[in-house]
Amino acid sequence: MSIIDIIKPKKPVMNICMMGPKAVGKTTVLTAVFNETQNSISGTTLNLTAKGDTEAELMDRLHMLHAVFVRKKAITDNSQTIANAGITASSFESRFDFGFGHIGKEPIIDLTIKDFPGEMVVNNQDEVIKFIKDSQCIFVAIDTPHLMERNGEFNDVKNKPEQITELFKKAIKEIESEKLVLFIPLKCEKYFHDGRISEVLDRVEKTYSQLISILEETRKVCCCVTPIQTLGDVDFDTFTFEGNGIKLASDGCPADVKYKYVGKGEYSPYFCSQPLYSMLLFVAAQYKRASSRMNTFDWLRNILWKVFNSDDTLFDEIYKMNRSRITDNPELGYKTLCGAELFDCK
């Protein structure tokens, strides 16, 4: 290691913790975000670039998603069903690395996203809690059909709300800084198209009411619901029946979930960048509020704040995203559940 490497300022990192059931579409969302933000984020001078293996992996997955719709070209019947639409699930922790900064310049901030599937949330809580402590934002992905269909009969075994609540009960003791927690219903196209997305919002509030109360009591957490149309022209169709009931997999969840093409049958995700806007705006608001009360020693310790402070345009460019961010709009299923004041820049 050279002396230059030793004295060179370390690049700050924004961490995002993702958790939720496997095959819910978390990687599908990251693929859409990467695809949408390669040129510019919401009309700003900022962009997101995938680093190392992340770029190749997301490009491969983008091709996989488009392949879902290539099969549709020869089909005229929009009721044609497809099984388990999306990307093959993983039961292991996944990591995605991005660079964030001004277009055409070296990234100034690293963005690290770790995806913890439901099995790890239950069986490896210490590891998940440690990353929550080090994260600015936590995404809780929710499989919407399992939340909504048959009155949520399979929600507990799929989305595991009780286990996630217990995890946060333990994690709260470790939280020292402000956090943004986003409940993200995925695969919810059907409920948007049927005009029922407000019902999804109501069900999220009811299902996670205990967790929401815990987060509210900390006064350190902003919590929002931000539903996403993961693929666009694919709706949930039905669970597969076997005999007198739903065909179940070994984990107790419905097996062979069926989806159907709708509309033009094209890959057209909606709202996938909303969590990114919220996360960046949340961190920018933290900086703006902190800048008036932190002493010199605090600034020296916080490498992320030093980047904001040394780049006059960074905050202003991030704040342009506010015009594209959806806040409280129940008709779209969006709502701030607690901690709205943490987005305040004053």
Side-chain angles (χ1 to χ4, degrees):
M1 181 181 292
S2 68
I3 186 67
I4 294 176
D5 294 325
I6 294 173
I7 64 176
K8 184 179 180 180
K10 185 180 179 182
K11 190 179 294 184
V13 179
M14 288 187 193
N15 289 322
I16 298 176
C17 178
M18 295 184 70
M19 64 180 71
K22 62 183 180 181
V24 70
K26 291 171 288 182
T27 306
T28 303
V29 172
L30 293 183
T31 302
V33 171
F34 169 65
N35 188 48
E36 290 177 14
T37 59
Q38 288 184 83
N39 295 322
S40 174
I41 300 177
S42 188
T44 68
T45 64
L46 305 172
N47 73 342
L48 198 67
T49 55
K51 298 173 58 180
D53 294 339
T54 295
E55 180 175 11
E57 182 174 357
L58 292 183
M59 286 303 297
D60 285 345
R61 295 181 182 223
L62 182 61
H63 293 318
M64 292 169 61
L65 292 174
H66 280 292
V68 171
F69 295 92
V70 168
R71 298 193 299 270
K72 175 68 178 69
K73 290 184 177 180
I75 299 173
T76 58
D77 180 6
N78 277 354
S79 66
Q80 172 79 18
T81 59
I82 52 178
N84 300 312
I87 293 172
T88 304
S90 172
S91 299
F92 303 98
E93 171 196 328
S94 299
R95 173 173 171 157
F96 302 88
D97 293 301
F98 299 89
F100 169 70
H102 297 281
I103 297 171
K105 297 182 179 180
E106 182 73 16
I108 55 177
I109 297 171
D110 287 339
L111 202 69
T112 295
I113 302 174
K114 287 188 178 181
D115 170 12
F116 297 100
E119 294 91 334
M120 288 197 67
V121 171
V122 175
N123 301 321
N124 297 79
Q125 291 194 359
D126 290 344
E127 182 177 347
V128 181
I129 289 172
K130 183 180 184 301
F131 195 67
I132 286 176
K133 182 180 179 181
D134 295 334
S135 297
Q136 282 77 26
C137 187
I138 301 97
F139 295 167
V140 180
I142 299 170
D143 188 299
T144 307
H146 289 78
L147 174 74
M148 297 295 294
E149 296 301 315
R150 295 174 64 90
N151 200 31
E153 178 181 348
F154 301 104
N155 184 55
D156 287 345
V157 293
K158 183 68 172 181
N159 289 310
K160 297 179 171 60
E162 290 186 7
Q163 289 92 332
I164 289 177
T165 298
E166 290 302 314
L167 174 75
F168 270 94
K169 282 182 180 179
K170 297 176 182 178
I172 287 297
K173 301 174 184 178
E174 303 285 335
I175 291 178
E176 299 171 354
S177 59
E178 295 172 350
K179 308 288 184 188
L180 175 65
V181 175
L182 299 180
F183 292 110
I184 308 178
L186 303 177
K187 297 183 178 177
C188 53
E189 283 85 344
K190 170 184 176 179
Y191 312 96
F192 273 106
H193 297 155
D194 291 350
R196 297 176 53 207
I197 196 64
S198 61
E199 295 178 26
V200 174
L201 172 60
D202 292 341
R203 185 67 63 85
V204 170
E205 288 191 79
K206 180 179 179 181
T207 301
Y208 294 89
S209 59
Q210 184 182 3
L211 175 53
I212 294 166
S213 295
I214 292 170
L215 298 177
E216 186 174 17
E217 289 172 2
T218 69
R219 300 192 179 277
K220 291 183 179 180
V221 175
C222 177
C223 180
C224 310
V225 181
T226 58
I228 286 172
Q229 297 186 44
T230 318
L231 292 176
D233 286 353
V234 168
D235 279 6
F236 168 80
D237 186 36
T238 184
F239 297 131
T240 300
F241 283 81
E242 183 177 62
N244 296 323
I246 302 293
K247 181 181 179 182
L248 299 180
S250 59
D251 60 1
C253 295
D256 302 324
V257 182
K258 301 295 183 182
Y259 296 82
K260 62 182 179 181
Y261 298 112
V262 297
K264 296 180 179 180
E266 298 176 347
Y267 175 57
S268 51
Y270 291 95
F271 308 128
C272 285
S273 292
Q274 287 297 317
L276 177 67
Y277 300 157
S278 294
M279 189 275 290
L280 292 172
L281 283 160
F282 180 79
V283 172
Q286 280 186 301
Y287 157 74
K288 201 68 173 180
R289 284 184 281 110
S291 62
S292 62
R293 64 174 186 261
M294 292 177 74
N295 58 40
T296 303
F297 180 68
D298 290 330
W299 280 106
L300 290 174
R301 286 194 308 165
N302 197 318
I303 190 171
L304 181 57
W305 286 175
K306 283 194 290 185
V307 169
F308 275 90
N309 201 43
S310 62
D311 189 326
D312 294 335
T313 63
L314 183 58
F315 175 84
D316 292 335
E317 286 300 301
I318 288 177
Y319 221 70
K320 286 181 182 178
M321 298 176 196
N322 206 36
R323 62 193 174 198
S324 301
R325 176 176 168 254
I326 305 171
T327 53
D328 291 287
N329 189 334
E331 292 184 359
L332 292 178
Y334 281 70
K335 184 176 180 179
T336 302
L337 303 176
C338 68
E341 67 279 1
L342 298 182
F343 271 105
D344 193 342
C345 293
K346 297 179 181 179

